[in-house]
Structure formats: structure tokens, C-alpha cells
Amino acid sequence: MTLAIGRHAAVIWQTSRRSYNFRLSYILNRNASTSLDLQSIDVKWRQRWAEREIAPGTPGKSPKPKSFVLAMTPYPSGNLHMGHLRVYTISDVLARFTHMQGYDVLHPMAWDAFGLPAENAAIERGVDPADWTRQNIKKMKGQLLETNASFDWSRECTTSDPQYYKHTQRLFLLLYEHGLAYQADSLVNFDPVDRTVLANEQVDANGFSWRSGSKVAKLNLKQWFLRITTFKEALLNDLDILAKDNCWPERVISMQRNWLGRSRGAKIKFGVVDDSGVQNGSIIEVFTTRPDTIYGVQYLALSIYHPLVVSLSQTNADLKSFIDHAPFHAIGSKEGFLLPGFHAKNPLCALTDLPDSTPRTFPIYVAPYVVDDYGGGAVMGVPGHDVRDQVFWKQNRGNEIILRVIEPPSSTVMAASEKQAATKLFERPGTLNSQCGGFAGMSSADASTKIIEDLAKSGELAEHVETWRLRDWLISRQRYWGTPIPIIHCQECGIVPVPIEELPIELPKLKEGWFREKSGNPIEGAEEWVNTTCPKCRGRARRETDTMDTFMDSSWYFMRFTDPSNAIDPFSPEAAEEYLPVDLYIGGVEHAILHLLYARFVSKFFSSTPFWPSGGGEQNAGEPFRRLISQGMVHGKTFSDPETGRFFKPDEIDLSDPSKPKIVKDGQAPNITWEKMSKSKHNGVDPTTCIKKYGADAVRAHVLFQAPASEVLEWDEDRIVGILRWFGRMWRLSRETKHQLEASHKPVDEIVPFNMPIPLSMNTREDYLWSQVQHTILSVRSNLSETFTFNTVISDLMELTNIALLPNESWNPALRYRSASALLRMLAPVCPAVAEECWEELHSIYREEEKEDKGRDPHVPPTPTNTKPIPSIFDSPFPEIDRSVVTVQSPIQTCVVQENGRWRLAVEIPLPSRELTEKRKSGSATTKQEGEEELTGWVVQQIENTPDGASWLRRARERGVTWKRIVVVHGGKVVNFVQ
């Protein structure tokens, strides 16, 4: 988007790059009169900020509107990594930007300190995890301070602090009082390495622990659960609130929706018969979302924990052996165990007109790929219409015939490649073929309904049902380093909650040396702590020895920030109403399911209590985070052996010529890839080392500039030199502008910082400069408040710096000052110390000087003393558009094109007409829907009218990509194509 300002701007916008590009090489290579010592500047301004009564990011008692900016709390491992630096830089930029917009900003920090990593580290080192955690927090806090971030440390929380987990225990008791916490016998996931129970969400699709990586076993134990399923409808439906205007990334919304997993389908009953066809009384219930494929069923597959399988394994040694070895099958294995002497009876036998090709009975397999807790642990295998079932069938039945009962609808237009594939496997809904008896010719949707109705009438063999993937949240952990569950077990009274006045129930102190090569739960052996008195009958009782899942601690920490000194309650209703929900929440997409789902559940629960009665209003519905930014991972350059794949250590690679790295041992070229940073790949980068080498602001800017926030960042330290050169140009601009003001001989009282009137008459170059200042303000404001494309912010500021440094001895001092002032204030959120230093230099001529002594030699210049401090740049507002001189707004806007929430390209498209945008805002629901569709179609057409847009859409179509929906935000500023 550009602005036409003054009589020359329209011409200059078209010719500016041609006219001035030849000068940029001169600007880039011109030496600054004084270089910046970035490390010294960091120290200087961190000290200045510490001396301020209220730093940016620390709310106070003021009439300003509140804004809550928060980054996900870190686990205190003891070392800051590049992922930490990226997320906390983003949150700090947004907190400072919001502060400069006039908000009272809350930007706090906490430590997610409980959990297995700390306990395992303590075991390895033979130290108390509390001591280990405190040391790590102290170290990491010091590292965070070196990043120039503006956290409110007065509200700092640590989840392992008894004064914090006192309220986590209170939250548990509140849930218990409302019938949402209960204890039950359950088949649970047990991690044999960490010797603790895991929630379903902590086990990956292949049955491995997300923590230790070991194969998870199943045990039947008494566990504590939270009834998160009570809120399943709200958790699903209110995703629409979060999806509105792209407040949450589409991919996170999709991941949440899939994990909740509401499926509408049918429950179908299959009888079990022996080899002679006699039914033995057993019934296998199968849930399916595709009843239309029932004519293609060729086998049933049961989970290894299905009740029928468990029963048969007690007398069948081969089956027992298969179950025992199931955890060791290869990932994705389609191994199966055929149950001898048992078959499933086809429920279609109850109907008339059953084709001869339809099997009357099917084999029954035990298959580890069947999920135990979804759909009853049984699936009907349809090899002709499901790729997984087809792979299983071929592996276990060889070349036996595969039934195909669904055909593509006649109206479907398919590419040649699709038609060829359709002769082998067709997975989508279509039309039932001649092998489906009386249902032949019906669509999948109509046939599904009719089949279930007919089976229901023929002996209640089927019914329409709804199932959810979500299960109640298992919070029991058999480990030490976690929040103790505040429950007492009494032989007379049963389960008794600990009285609130006795909270916190602190962890027992363990004997020195216990944490040496031990695992499991040491609390069980702390007899003095375990044995207690029942609060009800005063009889002998025992404390609950399980601790809570650490996700419980982090599910509500953001609420504690609103009232961190409250010793009685987790937080007061007044504090909740003042600050909640969080306005901006920043964190990695790896937390898109677990942490965010639990936080949403707890937040919705609190909104049903007096603690947060409004829940943020009807339009928020108790959601914890109004807007979510999910940043991508940071990858490092990795060198590996071309033959063995072994990762090389840094000293094994010769980088004397960075463009041509060589293996030290043999001089050969290594394989170079970008991988997630890890110790095993020797590609980790210590951000504190980079900060000491280049300065915090340079590292911050480099992190933001290298990639869009949502994308993977490939860390390349060699490119940071461009940031350093840019800083030098900004420093020179500040000094040159100051000298120009000094030479103008204007009295100090005529100059008002950042508000000095600009001349009414400007020459061509001045008109162009001022037009670019407005263009940059518009772009940076949009990028920091709507699209969060921080890399574009950096590039915009770089370009404006170059334009402001174009050699022109006739620059008007007021215009030059206004331009430099706006540039530095836009820079401030990103590079706070450099911006402060340049700001101070720019205004250093306005320091008040002490009057001359009467006895001083008049030929000796006065010495400035008792200089008045120059206000911080953060006391100045973020620049606004100078609308007094804006005459025409270009009808062009930048459109950011996303795919599943990820940046793909940016194109210039026209602004939509008023009629097009207004139709979607008013009128009936039908009219609004029509308006949405018209605007979407128009925007997509405009994207396709551009060369880059047409190329991208063409490639997508060639790949066979189809879009489930297209989300248009802010009239086409952002368009998200969702598969």
C-alpha cells in the first residue's frame, strides 16, 4: 500500500527505484562517523531500564486500557536455546509496540518447573530436584535479561513454589467439588523407562512415550481423572470464536478439532459364530463413519485390549504371545493374529435380497493398529475403500479378491490419473454399485441412512451415534517432582479432600542420596508424610501419593499473573475481569494440542465459577487466549558423512572457506542439511554466545528477519553482518540529522520532539521521503498488529533508512527530523537498546545547559553541567500517519497468501469496493454468507491475476490440491487457503 502525498508523489512512487537505486551502493559503503559499541549499549540501557520505576511491560495504576501479552512459560533446563530467544523476542516486540500505542501492558514471566526432566536430571546427578531447579532458574533468568526483553519480574511465578502449587491444589479441589475430578480403575499408558503413567495425549500414534521415547505398556491401575469431556461441546463449538478473523492459526484450530474428534456415524453389531456357523452369544460393536461401505466388509479387526481378545488370551498361548510382542512390532506394522474358530456374522444377513458376492461371515483378527479407546476398539475392514485396510488385507490374506462396492458419482470430473487410481481403490463417498442389493444406485449419504434404518428395524443391529476421540484427562503421575494431589484416603470415610486451610500440602523432604540411580515414586516410602489423620473422623489415614501431571500447573498460570500476591485465592474476580483473557499469546506449534486444550478447559471451568464470572464476555465464552501466534522451530546447519550419515562435530569440519566446507579427515564435501537443533546433531547454537559477540539487538533483529514467524527459521550466523551494517546506517542518520538541526540555528523551544511542523512546500525528493515514511508506518503497523510478519517489518525499516540517507544537502531539517524520529520509534520495539541510543543522540542538542558564571572568561565556551536526562523513546508514542498531508490513498494493497496458516507469498491486489465489503457485514445471515462468498471469489481472482499468484495456484492445481475453504481477512490483506 502506498500514499500519494503532495504534487510529486505519484510520479516519484513509479520512478523512485529507478531514480535512486544507483545511490544505494554509495549509502551502504559510506562509513559512519562514529561506530556503535553494541555490547556497551546493551549494558548501558539495561541499567537505565532497571532504574525506571515502571518499565515497558509492567502495568501500573493508570487510566490507560490494559493489554495482556504473554509468551508460553519455559521449562527451566538451565540453558536458553534459540527457540526461547525467538519466542521471547516476538513477545517483547509486541509488548513494547502495544505499550507505545498507549496501553498499560502486562508482560510477565513464569517457570514451568515441575516434571520428569528435572527429576531425571536430579537422579542422574544425585541432587534434590528443588535445588537443581532453583539453580537453573537463576541462570536462565540472567540469560533472559541479556536479551533486552521487558518482562514484569514483579509478577514472576514458579510452578514448583509451594505458594504457587497451593493454588493448583485449590483448583483440583474446586474441580472435585464440582464433580469434575474422580478416581477410577483404568487401563492406562505406563512408561517403563520413566515408570509413570501417561495421558493419551502424551503417547504418539505409534504407541511411544513423547518424553522417554520408549514403547508404552498398558496396566490396570487406580488413577485420578478430570472430566474434560463435560466441556467437549464448548471446546469444539467455541473454536469458531477463535477462528474468526484468523485470531488463532488455522492449523492449530484444525489440530484441536481433530483431537476432540467428534465423529457422526453408526454403531453396527456383528454377532460371533463358530466354524459351524453357530452363534456363541458374543457381540462385537463397531463404530464407523461409512455405513455405506458395509457391503465391502471382508474382516473385523480388534484391539489387543478388546474384552473378547483379553478373554481368549487366557486360554490361547499363541494369542497371549502375540499380545506380549505387540509393543515391539515395527512402527506402522499391519501384523494380525487370526482368531481360530471364531467368525463375525454379517448383519446384512438380516436383510433380504443379499447378493451372492456378499460374505455371510468374516474372519476376525487381532491387530495392534486398532486404537483401543476409539469406537470400542473394533473396526470393520473394507480393503476396497480404505488404504490402511487394503494394506492389512494383502499382508494377511495375500492375493484374495478385494470387493469394490462404491463407485465415483457420475457427475464427478476426475483427471486421468485419478481415474486410473479409482480402478484399484476408491476412498471417497460415491454411488453404491450393483453388488449392494437394493441399495444399488443410491448415493453414499442416502445409503448410509437407509442401511442403518433397515438394520435397526431388523433386530436393533445398528443405530446412529456420535463418538468423540477426546477422553477424560488422566492427571495421576507416580513420580516425586510434581504437585501433590490434596486427597486423603480413610478406611472409614473413604476419599476425603484436604481442607483448604491446610494447603499447601508440600512435598516431603527426602533423605539425602535418595536421588541416585533410582526411579519410580519415592513418596510411597515417605511413611511420616504418607501416614496422617482423617480430617473427618480423626482416624488413621493415608495421603494420596500420586502427583499431578505438569500440564495441570501450566493450565492456569496465566491467570495467576493477574493477582500473583493473593495468598487466599488463585486470583480475585476483580483481577480476572481487569486482565483476562490474554490478548496475545505466543508459543510453539508443538503445544497446539496438549497445553492449549487443557488451558481452554480450565479457563472455561473458572468462567463457570465466581472467580471469572463474565468469562471475558459472551463473544469470548471463557476462552483463555484471544489471539494466538504460533512460531516455527529453529533449525541449525548440520554436517553429516555422505556414506554413513554420522553427524560431524564442529571441529571435524573445515570452514576456512564458509562457502565450501570440507571434512577435516579426508577433504571431502559433507552433506549439508538444516535440522532441528539438538546435541546429537552438533548443530545447536548458544544465543548468549551470539549476544556477547554481536549484541542483543542484532541477534533479535536477525532472528526476526530470517523467516516469517510461523515458518521454520534456518539459523545462519554469517548473514547477521547485514543487520550490523544497518545499525551503522541508522546511527549515522541520527548524527547527521542532529548536526543538520544544530546548523539550522532554531531555538530549542521551537522544536517539539516528533511533532515538529513540516514545511508546506517540499521539493521532489522531500515529497518522496515523506511519502515513504507514511508507507512504512502503514506497513509496520499492519505487520505488528494484524499479519505478524516481523521479517517484513525489518525489511521496511531497512528500506526507509536507505531512503532517508540519500545524499541531499538541501533536506529541510524539520522534515529530516520527523522522518528520523518516526523511523527510530518504529525500530524501538524490535531493537530497544539501539533505538534508545540513536534517540538520545538525535536529541542530545536539547540538553539544558547551566547558565554562564559572571566571572567566567567570555572567550572560553561554557561547559555543560547538570544536563537534563532525555526521556526514553518508550515515553513517546508509536508514529501515526500524518493525515493532514495525505491526499490520495492508492487503491492497491499487499495481500499475504497463506496455505494452512503458513506464509506462501505476497502479492499486490486492488482494494475491494465498498459494496463488496459492506454486503458481508449487514443484512440477513444469507446475505452475509453471499457477501463472504462474493468477496472470497473476487479476492482469489485478483490473486490469480498477478504473475506470482497465478503461478502458485497453477502449481497447486497440478498437484491435485483442493481447498476445503478459503478464509479472507481484513478485506484481502490476508487470504488463507485451507486444505
Side-chain angles (χ1 to χ4, degrees):
M1 181 182 294
T2 63
L3 294 179
I5 302 175
R7 62 185 182 281
H8 303 292
V11 176
I12 292 171
W13 171 246
Q14 296 172 8
T15 63
S16 60
R17 293 184 186 275
R18 294 196 303 271
S19 302
Y20 295 126
N21 274 351
F22 77 95
R23 301 177 184 267
L24 294 186
S25 61
Y26 167 76
I27 293 171
L28 294 174
N29 296 318
R30 219 164 97 197
N31 291 326
S33 56
T34 304
S35 61
L36 285 169
D37 183 346
L38 295 176
Q39 292 80 0
S40 298
I41 288 173
D42 284 342
V43 174
K44 169 185 173 179
W45 287 103
R46 283 200 290 267
Q47 183 176 349
R48 291 269 189 96
W49 295 328
E51 293 169 354
R52 289 166 58 88
E53 290 185 9
I54 299 177
T58 308
K61 298 295 181 181
S62 83
K64 296 179 180 180
K66 297 289 191 294
S67 182
F68 192 171
V69 179
L70 182 64
M72 291 182 183
T73 177
Y75 161 69
S77 62
N79 291 293
L80 205 65
H81 57 66
M82 292 304 297
H84 289 134
L85 180 66
R86 191 181 196 191
V87 67
Y88 297 126
T89 295
I90 292 172
S91 76
D92 187 57
V93 168
L94 294 174
R96 290 181 182 275
F97 168 65
T98 307
H99 167 81
M100 294 181 73
Q101 288 184 299
Y103 286 86
D104 202 7
V105 180
L106 174 60
H107 184 220
M109 175 55 68
W111 306 98
D112 190 12
F114 270 141
L116 288 173
E119 185 166 343
N120 289 341
I123 291 172
E124 292 172 7
R125 294 164 176 79
V127 299
D128 191 314
D131 296 335
W132 169 256
T133 299
R134 279 191 293 268
Q135 293 170 9
N136 288 350
I137 289 175
K138 182 179 179 180
K139 182 179 179 181
M140 287 186 69
K141 183 174 180 179
Q143 293 172 333
L144 278 174
L145 289 171
E146 293 180 0
T147 67
N148 291 346
S150 58
F151 295 112
D152 179 0
W153 293 105
S154 70
R155 294 174 183 252
E156 181 182 8
C157 295
T158 302
T159 60
S160 60
D161 183 341
Q163 294 309 307
Y164 177 90
Y165 70 70
K166 163 186 179 177
H167 302 292
T168 304
Q169 292 173 336
R170 175 75 184 281
L171 168 59
F172 176 90
L173 294 177
L174 284 168
L175 290 163
Y176 184 80
E177 291 169 12
H178 285 77
L180 298 173
Y182 66 95
Q183 193 177 37
D185 288 324
S186 176
L187 195 65
V188 297
N189 307 306
F190 188 78
D191 186 323
V193 173
D194 286 330
R195 293 183 60 188
T196 190
V197 169
L198 303 174
N200 291 329
E201 296 87 343
Q202 294 169 319
V203 181
D204 69 18
N206 298 305
F208 290 89
S209 168
W210 79 301
R211 281 290 192 191
S212 70
S214 63
K215 191 71 177 180
V216 172
K218 291 283 187 176
L219 296 178
N220 200 31
L221 297 176
K222 185 162 291 207
Q223 304 289 298
W224 282 98
F225 294 85
L226 301 182
R227 295 188 197 276
I228 190 173
T229 53
T230 302
F231 288 79
K232 63 179 183 290
E233 294 284 353
L235 290 169
L236 179 63
N237 295 337
D238 293 344
L239 287 173
D240 292 339
I241 295 175
L242 304 176
K244 187 176 181 181
D245 293 330
N246 261 15
C247 285
W248 279 37
E250 175 63 33
R251 58 175 170 167
V252 175
I253 294 288
S254 178
M255 293 168 77
Q256 289 265 309
R257 204 183 300 278
N258 291 338
W259 188 258
L260 291 166
R262 181 171 67 183
S263 300
R264 290 190 172 98
K267 184 189 294 182
I268 302 176
K269 297 178 181 179
F270 293 79
V272 179
V273 299
D274 58 22
D275 289 333
S276 59
V278 177
Q279 193 156 338
N280 67 0
S282 296
I283 296 292
I284 297 175
E285 292 187 343
V286 175
F287 172 79
T288 178
T289 58
R290 294 290 305 278
D292 57 313
T293 63
I294 192 170
Y295 279 89
V297 175
Q298 294 185 261
Y299 70 93
L300 292 190
L302 307 181
S303 148
I304 60 176
Y305 302 107
H306 189 280
L308 178 62
V309 176
V310 173
S311 174
L312 293 175
S313 67
Q314 297 176 5
T315 56
N316 188 319
D318 291 339
L319 175 58
K320 180 67 166 58
S321 176
F322 178 83
I323 293 173
D324 290 341
H325 286 84
F328 305 103
H329 288 166
I331 295 175
S333 169
K334 294 299 182 288
E335 294 288 337
F337 181 91
L338 179 65
L339 289 180
F342 294 92
H343 309 271
K345 182 179 179 180
N346 194 333
L348 293 174
C349 292
L351 306 181
T352 58
D353 193 25
L354 190 63
D356 293 339
S357 60
T358 303
R360 272 52 179 177
T361 61
F362 321 113
I364 303 174
Y365 282 90
V366 180
Y369 79 82
V370 179
V371 180
D372 176 54
D373 57 358
Y374 180 79
V379 300
M380 57 186 207
V382 187
H385 300 286
D386 186 279
V387 64
R388 180 194 60 185
D389 295 351
Q390 190 174 98
V391 172
F392 182 87
W393 180 259
K394 289 182 176 180
Q395 181 169 333
N396 290 276
R397 307 294 291 197
N399 294 321
E400 289 189 28
I401 189 171
I402 293 177
L403 299 177
R404 180 186 169 105
V405 297
I406 309 290
E407 304 295 339
S410 57
S411 60
T412 299
V413 178
M414 294 188 299
S417 59
E418 290 184 84
K419 291 178 180 178
Q420 184 178 3
T423 61
K424 300 179 180 179
L425 178 69
F426 183 71
E427 294 187 278
R428 291 177 292 179
T431 302
L432 276 67
N433 64 21
S434 59
Q435 298 189 60
C436 299
F439 302 99
M442 297 179 68
S443 69
S444 288
D446 292 341
S448 293
T449 301
K450 182 64 174 170
I451 287 171
I452 299 309
E453 289 177 354
D454 288 359
L455 288 176
K457 293 176 183 177
S458 303
E460 299 182 351
L461 295 175
E463 60 178 321
H464 292 285
V465 296
E466 178 181 274
T467 115
W468 294 72
R469 180 184 180 189
L470 180 69
R471 294 293 181 266
D472 282 342
W473 178 9
L474 189 158
I475 65 165
S476 284
R477 297 293 180 270
Q478 291 70 45
R479 296 299 293 257
Y480 172 77
W481 193 234
T483 299
I485 296 177
I487 288 293
I488 291 173
H489 299 276
C490 175
Q491 290 186 350
E492 297 296 328
C493 307
I495 294 175
V496 181
V498 172
I500 293 175
E501 57 271 17
E502 293 184 15
L503 300 180
I505 301 301
E506 297 190 30
L507 287 167
K509 298 296 181 183
L510 300 179
K511 295 179 180 179
E512 185 176 354
W514 191 94
F515 288 103
R516 290 188 183 278
E517 302 301 327
K518 293 189 178 181
S519 58
N521 186 2
I523 299 179
E524 294 175 347
E527 292 295 329
E528 293 183 5
W529 184 89
V530 172
N531 295 317
T532 187
T533 302
C534 174
K536 279 189 175 181
C537 69
R538 312 310 299 173
R540 296 174 60 185
R542 291 177 62 85
R543 295 190 187 279
E544 174 62 60
T545 58
D546 284 356
T547 53
M548 297 185 208
D549 179 9
T550 54
F551 280 112
M552 187 73 169
D553 306 304
S554 60
S555 69
W556 74 281
Y557 78 103
F558 52 93
M559 295 179 155
R560 182 62 178 171
F561 285 135
T562 67
D563 199 7
S565 300
N566 193 327
I568 306 300
D569 295 315
F571 50 88
S572 69
E574 295 77 17
E577 298 297 349
E578 184 176 12
Y579 289 107
L580 296 176
V582 175
D583 293 288
L584 274 171
Y585 196 44
I586 305 101
V589 72
E590 64 269 23
H591 301 294
I593 296 177
L594 303 179
H595 166 60
L596 292 177
L597 182 67
Y598 295 149
R600 294 182 64 218
F601 161 58
V602 170
S603 180
K604 288 183 178 296
F605 167 69
F606 269 125
S607 71
S608 70
T609 72
F611 283 95
W612 190 26
S614 77
E618 184 178 346
Q619 297 302 313
N620 188 67
E623 289 293 336
F625 313 118
R626 196 183 303 278
R627 189 149 199 174
L628 175 70
I629 301 173
S630 292
Q631 93 284 353
M633 292 184 178
V634 181
H635 287 186
K637 185 180 288 187
T638 309
F639 302 99
S640 59
D641 191 310
E643 296 182 359
T644 66
R646 182 179 72 85
F647 295 107
F648 288 117
K649 297 178 180 179
D651 59 4
E652 294 179 287
I653 298 296
D654 178 5
L655 293 174
S656 55
D657 182 354
S659 64
K660 297 180 180 179
K662 298 177 181 179
I663 302 172
V664 173
K665 183 179 179 180
D666 55 19
Q668 298 298 311
N671 284 340
I672 303 175
T673 56
W674 295 92
E675 308 275 353
K676 180 181 177 181
M677 290 185 177
S678 68
K679 293 180 180 178
S680 62
K681 296 174 182 177
H682 312 295
N683 65 344
V685 176
D686 182 356
T688 57
T689 300
C690 291
I691 288 172
K692 290 175 182 177
K693 185 175 180 181
Y694 301 108
D697 281 5
V699 178
R700 285 166 60 111
H702 188 56
V703 162
L704 296 176
F705 187 49
Q706 285 299 289
S710 61
E711 300 295 317
V712 169
L713 187 159
E714 295 180 347
W715 176 260
D716 188 349
E717 190 173 316
D718 295 337
R719 298 180 182 178
I720 203 170
V721 65
I723 298 294
L724 301 177
R725 290 171 180 165
W726 173 43
F727 285 177
R729 296 196 296 275
M730 284 189 295
W731 176 246
R732 190 175 72 250
L733 173 63
S734 303
R735 291 179 61 83
E736 288 182 2
T737 304
K738 180 191 73 169
H739 294 325
Q740 194 171 3
L741 286 171
E742 287 177 323
S744 69
H745 306 295
K746 283 184 175 288
V748 172
D749 57 5
E750 287 186 15
I751 301 176
V752 181
F754 61 77
N755 223 11
M756 179 192 298
I758 63 170
L760 296 177
S761 177
M762 294 185 283
N763 62 36
T764 301
R765 293 180 180 179
E766 290 171 343
D767 213 359
Y768 172 65
L769 169 60
W770 195 233
S771 123
Q772 292 308 293
V773 170
Q774 308 314 304
H775 164 75
T776 306
I777 292 172
L778 272 176
S779 178
V780 171
R781 275 186 167 274
S782 174
N783 290 326
L784 291 181
S785 60
E786 297 174 4
T787 61
F788 305 110
T789 47
F790 303 99
N791 55 323
T792 305
V793 172
I794 304 295
S795 62
D796 284 346
L797 296 179
M798 285 180 170
E799 184 173 355
L800 182 58
T801 305
N802 293 338
I803 294 170
L805 279 170
L806 288 170
N808 185 358
E809 295 180 0
S810 62
W811 284 124
N812 181 282
L815 175 65
R816 193 85 180 277
Y817 170 79
R818 286 284 296 272
S819 301
S821 169
L823 173 61
L824 292 178
R825 284 180 284 135
M826 287 187 281
L827 173 72
V830 179
C831 306
V834 169
E836 290 270 33
E837 187 72 11
C838 292
W839 183 259
E840 184 179 65
E841 175 66 17
L842 178 64
H843 296 93
S844 59
I845 63 172
Y846 305 130
R847 294 182 186 271
E848 292 184 354
E849 296 182 355
E850 190 174 39
K851 294 182 180 179
E852 298 178 16
D853 294 331
K854 293 182 179 180
R856 183 181 56 80
D857 184 343
H859 299 290
V860 178
T863 303
T865 59
N866 298 327
T867 57
K868 182 180 178 180
I870 295 170
S872 166
I873 194 171
F874 294 103
D875 292 336
S876 306
F878 202 81
E880 299 276 356
I881 295 297
D882 186 357
R883 301 194 180 277
S884 65
V885 295
V886 175
T887 58
V888 180
Q889 181 173 334
S890 168
I892 301 298
Q893 65 175 339
T894 298
C895 172
V896 175
V897 179
Q898 299 178 338
E899 184 178 26
N900 297 325
R902 297 190 173 191
W903 186 93
R904 286 294 176 259
L905 69 156
V907 295
E908 299 289 320
I909 67 171
L911 287 168
S913 66
R914 181 182 296 274
E915 293 78 11
L916 204 56
T917 55
E918 289 299 323
K919 186 175 181 180
R920 63 197 284 253
K921 297 180 181 178
S922 59
S924 64
T926 302
T927 302
K928 291 180 181 178
Q929 180 64 27
E930 291 175 353
E932 289 281 0
E933 293 174 357
E934 289 179 16
L935 177 63
T936 299
W938 182 87
V939 171
V940 172
Q941 183 60 55
Q942 301 310 310
I943 293 172
E944 193 157 17
N945 288 343
T946 67
D948 290 345
S951 176
W952 181 75
L953 287 169
R954 184 182 66 254
R955 291 196 303 271
R957 292 181 183 122
E958 289 172 352
R959 298 197 316 267
V961 175
T962 57
W963 313 113
K964 183 171 64 176
R965 62 192 181 110
I966 301 173
V967 182
V968 176
V969 183
H970 298 300
K973 287 184 178 179
V974 179
V975 180
N976 188 15
F977 289 78
V978 183
Q979 293 186 29

